[in-house]
Amino acid sequence: MPRFAHLAPFVLVATALPWLQAQVPVRDAAELQKQLDRLQTLGSVLYIAAHPDDENTAVLATLSKGRNLRTAYLSITRGGGGQNLIGPELGDGLAAIRTQELLAARRLDGAEQFFTSAVDFGFSKTAEESLRLWHHDTVLGDVVRTIRTFRPDVILTRFPPDTRAGHGHHTASAMLAIEAFAAAADPTRFPEQLKAGLRPWQATRLLWNHFRFTEDAPKPAPGSLTLDVGTFDPLLGRSHGELAAESRSQHRSQGFGVLAQRGAREESFELLAGQPAKADLFEGIQLGWSRFPGTGEVAARLLEARQGFRPERPAASLPALLKARSALLALPTALRAEPLVQAKAAELEDLLRAAAGLWVEAIADRQRLAPGDRLAVNAAVLARGGSPLVLESMILEAVTPEGPRTLEARPDGNPLPDNAPRKESFAFTVPATTPLAQPHWLGGPGAEAWAGLPESPAPFRLRARVALPGGSFDAVVPVQFRFRDPVLGERYQPLAVVPTAFVHLEEGVQVFEGPGAKEVRLKVIAGAARAAGRVRLQVPSPWKVEPAERAFALSRAGEEQEISFRLTPPASTASGDLRVEVDTGAGFAVARGLVKLDHPHIPLQTLLPEARARVERFDLKHNGHRIGYVMGAGDDIPQALRRLGYEVDLLSDEALAREDLGRFDAIVLGIRAYNTRPALQTLKERLHAYVAGGGTEVVLYTVNTGFPGINAAMVTDAIGPYPFKVGRKRVTDETVPVRLLQPGHPVFHLPNELTAKDFEGWVQERSLYHAEGWDARYTPLLGMADPGEAEDAGALIVAQHGKGHYVYTGLAFFRQLPDGVPGATRLFANLLSLGHP
């Protein structure tokens, strides 16, 4: 936990700071009044579920904004195993996006955000599989650590601990919550946490927040507690349900934009463990300052500030707030270490800044920098609340996992004029120890120190110490980059510290269709102002690479140098990993790439994955070379096809409507095209006519869940030339055997002869959203099932229509082809070759 007073504001930066606006939160008078009310309440609640978007934002908003409770959501995973409706990012990239979507949601509903170390590996049908792959003891320890750190009065789960949860991850999250509820209070469980300073904690009760995704869902059990989440707040100007809808709609990558619900609406809760309650979630729990003996003076001064609050002049409350702060600082050390007291201290610091009308910012001269660079930072402090503020000092600090370190301190001591900014310029050399931008949860710096937090802190921050006659306080803000967007206006981006030189591999998978050598192309890019050194490839035996290394020299940040190596595969089928190593003076080390995740609803994210590529040598033939691709939600299949030698055209709605489709050997509709391309409601007829004329149409999976509040409606139910439905069946175990239902079908023989071996080595999942109820003119080709389930034949269906062929497949090609999985690649080549012997 952070040290009291000065470090507390920093911890709140990640969850409370609006990244799109100022570097110190700007609050209107209604927000200040709500914050004063919140300071009178000392209860806390922790909500636990499996993924980003599983949380009930209506409950979070009502408890946080309505009942003024310290509220947090613990997401067991970051959601990287899911799907993406706004782009091609999957895995770590999607996890980074969904992390930021959670933070955007929390900025609206007022809750805090935590995570465990569990990795989302995709849909799971059993809790046992989930807990095994998550490493049960490790993740349980993470949940226990969060409970011992946050010390909630009440814990809520989104799901029940059984199959009603509908997903192995969901069930497992509830099982972990039940086990952690007891383990957190047991000093013999995870004793290493106690040695690190945490203490056992017994929450009062654990309840399941019932979900009703369908009208026929079971009713809550008798005796369940209820909470009205539709209450209207005149200070907000809307209900907590309306606020919750905006919060939930931040999960854009999952298509979870929702309509606001207005009017009273009850949520119900069933006791899973702990003390029963008859009427209220917090029954029997003291929610005022009286829960902590000796805090009467703090409570009195905070009440004085609330009663004296004047919306037209918030600064009038500053004397009482400063007295409350002094009373807090006078509390015994053990009491000041209580998480709820620390949280209130941080809220009080924030309120002092806001009531004083204080604006503080620290702006860097660029967004991307490297250790050893010179960085200029322009700082400004602006007082506009009419109070006699004195700027005591400005301190520029570096933030590391070991703690903050002062880079430069500027004493001041002069009064701040009203509404006239005090400016200072700093310039320093970026220390060699500055953490790189790779998130701590992806193996970057701070994996232990920042464990459980949603993101790594900014590498540099400014601390402005401001004094009033009644005392002084700090305003701590991250150093950021600011720029003008010609459409959106003022924008802020977090700083990204990158290596001196990083590498961009042209292809993340290198596929060799025969024994011939290929050029492996890469770019070395300067992260620092100057970068020079050597680069080499490390490949598995018996692959061969020439030359052994190459030199590079770059004279300015961002300059690129293209380099190629000649890679020769073995004579027979083989696979392995290629890695790039760079030496910039300290010896060869694994190079880093740079991935920017730039979406308008989240801050720019920078990932620095290791520069590696998969190398695959297998036999591949393909007939038909020109492919039309109708992009849906976003995937990397077009790029995967291009590296195999296909010519791929991305087709717009206009191209589908007007161009000659007969020039394509096959047309592929990408994942969820029938969810995201409304024009297909009518343009599907052109596609079917193309098939009738001799073309091949391959439709990758689409979604038709039918759950309210989930944007998974298809633009039309008639997506094939003959009737069939898209169901919800899936095969999550990528290793299960696959049975050829029609062994003589051309799909299994032309141009590649397929065998059972071609269904080995698949990644994450086999198939999803199978066809069902198909017309007799379709031929199902594959039978498969997860262990213990009946075989299903809807993963791949084919029909001849006129002179051509129509294919619907739920096979997870969107994961297999970008990863270069040989068998899946050969099967997809055969599908594209239908009708082209």
Side-chain angles (χ1 to χ4, degrees):
M1 294 298 294
R3 287 192 296 114
F4 184 73
H6 292 323
L7 290 191
F10 166 71
V11 173
L12 293 181
V13 165
T15 55
L17 181 66
W19 72 273
L20 287 174
Q21 300 181 16
Q23 293 198 349
V24 166
V26 177
R27 307 194 187 282
D28 58 32
E31 286 183 283
L32 292 179
Q33 182 172 318
K34 287 193 68 66
Q35 200 167 359
L36 281 164
D37 290 336
R38 185 180 178 90
L39 280 170
Q40 320 297 320
T41 306
L42 275 85
S44 59
V45 57
L46 178 65
Y47 201 100
I48 300 177
H51 310 107
D53 75 34
D54 283 344
E55 78 276 23
N56 187 335
T57 55
V59 170
L60 295 182
T62 301
L63 294 175
S64 174
K65 297 286 191 179
R67 298 193 60 172
N68 296 319
L69 297 161
R70 188 185 184 200
T71 306
Y73 174 45
L74 172 60
S75 180
I76 301 296
T77 76
R78 294 176 185 261
Q83 296 143 42
N84 186 358
L85 197 64
I86 62 172
E89 300 93 348
L90 296 173
D92 293 344
L94 179 58
I97 290 171
R98 298 186 72 181
T99 294
Q100 292 300 318
E101 288 177 339
L102 274 176
L103 291 178
R106 298 296 81 82
R107 284 190 284 269
L108 290 165
D109 58 38
E112 299 171 53
Q113 184 63 52
F114 299 104
F115 293 94
T116 76
S117 58
V119 175
D120 182 358
F121 58 86
F123 191 87
S124 174
K125 294 182 178 178
T126 68
E128 292 72 24
E129 178 191 46
S130 301
L131 293 172
R132 174 171 53 83
L133 295 178
W134 285 347
H135 306 291
H136 168 272
D137 289 356
T138 299
V139 176
L140 175 62
D142 293 340
V143 180
V144 168
R145 184 190 65 241
T146 302
I147 293 173
R148 288 173 171 172
T149 302
F150 189 75
R151 300 170 77 82
D153 295 313
V154 172
I155 300 175
L156 305 175
T157 72
R158 187 60 179 126
F159 302 104
D162 52 46
T163 56
R164 289 175 295 173
H167 188 318
H169 293 183
H170 295 169
T171 305
S173 71
M175 294 170 66
L176 287 166
I178 293 171
E179 192 173 358
F181 178 80
D186 185 348
T188 67
R189 302 294 303 274
F190 305 100
E192 70 281 1
Q193 297 179 1
L194 307 185
K195 293 177 182 177
L198 295 179
R199 291 174 293 151
W201 177 255
Q202 180 62 72
T204 302
R205 58 183 61 94
L206 169 68
L207 306 104
W208 165 38
N209 176 200
H210 293 121
F211 59 84
R212 298 194 67 202
F213 294 149
T214 58
E215 291 299 322
D216 59 349
K219 300 291 184 182
S224 295
L225 301 177
T226 60
L227 177 70
D228 183 1
V229 296
T231 50
F232 178 77
D233 189 329
L235 289 176
L236 294 174
R238 51 182 171 169
S239 71
H240 299 119
E242 291 171 301
L243 180 63
E246 185 180 356
S247 172
R248 184 158 184 77
S249 296
Q250 301 308 304
H251 296 295
R252 298 183 190 180
S253 67
Q254 305 307 294
F256 272 13
V258 297
L259 298 174
Q261 295 185 338
R262 297 171 177 86
R265 183 165 69 89
E266 280 193 345
E267 290 284 342
S268 58
F269 304 85
E270 179 180 328
L271 186 70
L272 296 177
Q275 299 178 16
K278 294 181 179 180
D280 187 78
L281 291 172
F282 289 82
E283 191 171 294
I285 300 171
Q286 175 55 252
L287 299 180
W289 280 96
S290 58
R291 73 186 287 165
F292 294 120
T295 60
E297 178 64 15
V298 178
R301 299 288 73 79
L302 289 175
L303 182 60
E304 177 187 346
R306 174 64 182 89
Q307 291 174 339
F309 179 69
R310 294 167 52 191
E312 73 280 5
R313 192 170 181 270
S317 295
L318 283 173
L321 291 173
L322 284 167
K323 291 176 184 177
R325 183 177 183 274
S326 296
L328 266 173
L329 290 170
L331 294 175
T333 302
L335 185 52
R336 284 190 278 125
E338 285 289 337
L340 263 179
V341 177
Q342 286 192 329
K344 293 303 164 184
E347 290 173 17
L348 179 54
E349 294 275 330
D350 180 46
L351 185 55
L352 282 167
R353 295 191 296 265
L358 195 64
W359 169 281
V360 182
E361 67 176 13
I363 305 300
D365 62 357
R366 58 191 179 279
Q367 188 267 335
R368 201 164 72 193
L369 54 144
D373 282 353
R374 291 289 291 176
L375 183 69
V377 175
N378 292 316
V381 178
L382 175 65
R384 45 191 179 178
S387 297
L389 298 177
V390 173
L391 178 61
E392 291 188 340
S393 63
M394 288 192 202
I395 304 171
L396 194 65
E397 298 175 338
V399 181
T400 72
E402 294 73 34
R405 184 167 61 86
T406 298
L407 295 173
E408 185 175 355
R410 298 273 181 90
D412 193 297
N414 295 307
L416 284 169
D418 189 60
N419 209 26
R422 177 74 52 77
K423 298 181 179 180
E424 288 282 352
S425 295
F426 296 84
F428 63 95
T429 299
V430 178
T433 56
T434 304
L436 297 181
Q438 180 75 343
H440 69 272
W441 52 270
L442 286 177
E448 183 175 343
W450 300 323
L453 296 181
E455 59 183 348
S456 303
F460 307 106
R461 67 190 191 191
L462 177 74
R463 180 185 301 277
R465 181 155 296 168
V466 179
L468 279 164
S472 63
F473 58 91
D474 289 355
V476 183
V477 298
V479 177
Q480 297 188 26
F481 176 68
R482 183 177 62 189
F483 68 102
R484 183 189 72 86
D485 184 287
V487 175
L488 300 174
E490 184 178 59
R491 305 288 281 179
Y492 287 88
Q493 290 178 342
L495 299 190
V497 182
V498 301
T500 300
F502 53 93
V503 170
H504 172 68
L505 273 167
E506 191 171 281
E507 293 287 350
V509 177
Q510 305 286 338
V511 175
F512 294 75
E513 303 166 42
K518 283 188 176 181
E519 295 293 316
V520 175
R521 298 183 180 87
L522 57 85
K523 292 179 181 177
V524 180
I525 305 167
R530 292 183 180 276
R534 300 172 294 162
V535 61
R536 69 184 183 188
L537 303 185
Q538 294 283 40
V539 297
S541 178
W543 298 73
K544 297 180 180 179
V545 62
E546 295 177 304
E549 62 182 51
R550 288 189 182 276
F552 64 88
L554 304 165
S555 59
R556 55 181 172 80
E559 184 180 356
E560 302 176 356
Q561 182 174 332
E562 293 189 3
I563 291 175
S564 65
F565 294 87
R566 187 169 181 81
L567 185 59
T568 303
S572 58
T573 299
S575 63
D577 290 320
L578 170 155
R579 72 174 184 269
V580 185
E581 295 184 344
V582 167
D583 175 16
T584 56
F588 277 106
V590 178
R592 295 271 179 183
L594 186 144
V595 176
K596 294 197 299 184
L597 306 175
D598 194 2
H599 293 277
H601 67 302
I602 62 173
L604 175 68
Q605 296 298 293
T606 301
L607 307 184
L608 301 172
E610 291 186 348
R612 296 177 180 268
R614 187 76 182 159
V615 289
E616 295 283 354
R617 155 72 175 95
F618 57 89
D619 294 326
L620 177 69
K621 302 173 184 175
H622 45 80
N623 297 332
H625 292 268
R626 189 159 194 185
I627 308 299
Y629 203 91
V630 182
M631 187 64 75
D635 57 62
D636 287 330
I637 291 179
Q639 182 179 351
L641 293 176
R642 290 184 182 116
R643 67 172 172 249
L644 297 173
Y646 289 97
E647 182 181 343
V648 182
D649 290 0
L650 296 180
L651 300 179
S652 64
D653 292 343
E654 183 177 0
L656 280 175
R658 300 181 181 276
E659 292 184 9
D660 175 19
L661 302 183
R663 61 196 176 95
F664 296 110
D665 297 311
I667 294 178
V668 179
L669 277 74
I671 60 172
R672 299 182 72 167
Y674 276 104
N675 295 126
T676 60
R677 299 283 290 265
L680 289 176
Q681 183 174 7
T682 55
L683 292 177
K684 69 179 191 300
E685 300 302 336
R686 283 211 83 212
L687 289 167
H688 297 164
Y690 157 78
V691 174
T696 298
E697 179 185 356
V698 178
V699 179
L700 304 183
Y701 85 88
T702 191
V703 180
N704 192 20
T705 67
F707 281 163
I710 297 179
N711 182 20
M714 294 164 55
V715 300
T716 175
D717 291 330
I719 68 174
Y722 314 119
F724 74 91
K725 295 180 180 178
V726 175
R728 292 179 50 79
K729 291 182 180 177
R730 61 200 301 164
V731 175
T732 63
D733 187 343
E734 68 275 17
T735 68
V736 296
V738 175
R739 188 166 70 92
L740 308 187
L741 302 179
Q742 300 289 334
H745 197 282
V747 162
F748 302 127
H749 301 283
L750 297 172
N752 299 289
E753 190 70 31
L754 302 184
T755 68
K757 190 172 181 61
D758 286 294
F759 294 95
E760 297 176 2
W762 288 43
V763 297
Q764 185 158 321
E765 58 192 334
R766 185 73 84 187
S767 61
L768 60 169
Y769 302 108
H770 289 191
E772 61 185 26
W774 54 82
D775 185 278
R777 285 167 285 190
Y778 289 102
T779 301
L781 295 181
L782 298 176
M784 62 186 72
D786 277 320
E789 297 185 357
E791 182 180 82
D792 187 79
L796 176 61
I797 61 173
V798 178
Q800 186 159 353
H801 177 57
K803 299 179 181 179
H805 298 81
Y806 175 89
V807 177
Y808 174 82
T809 179
L811 292 170
F813 287 116
F814 74 105
R815 298 194 191 277
Q816 315 308 321
L817 267 63
D819 265 24
V821 176
T825 303
R826 285 158 50 85
L827 174 56
F828 201 77
N830 284 10
L831 292 174
L832 298 180
S833 298
L834 278 172
H836 302 283

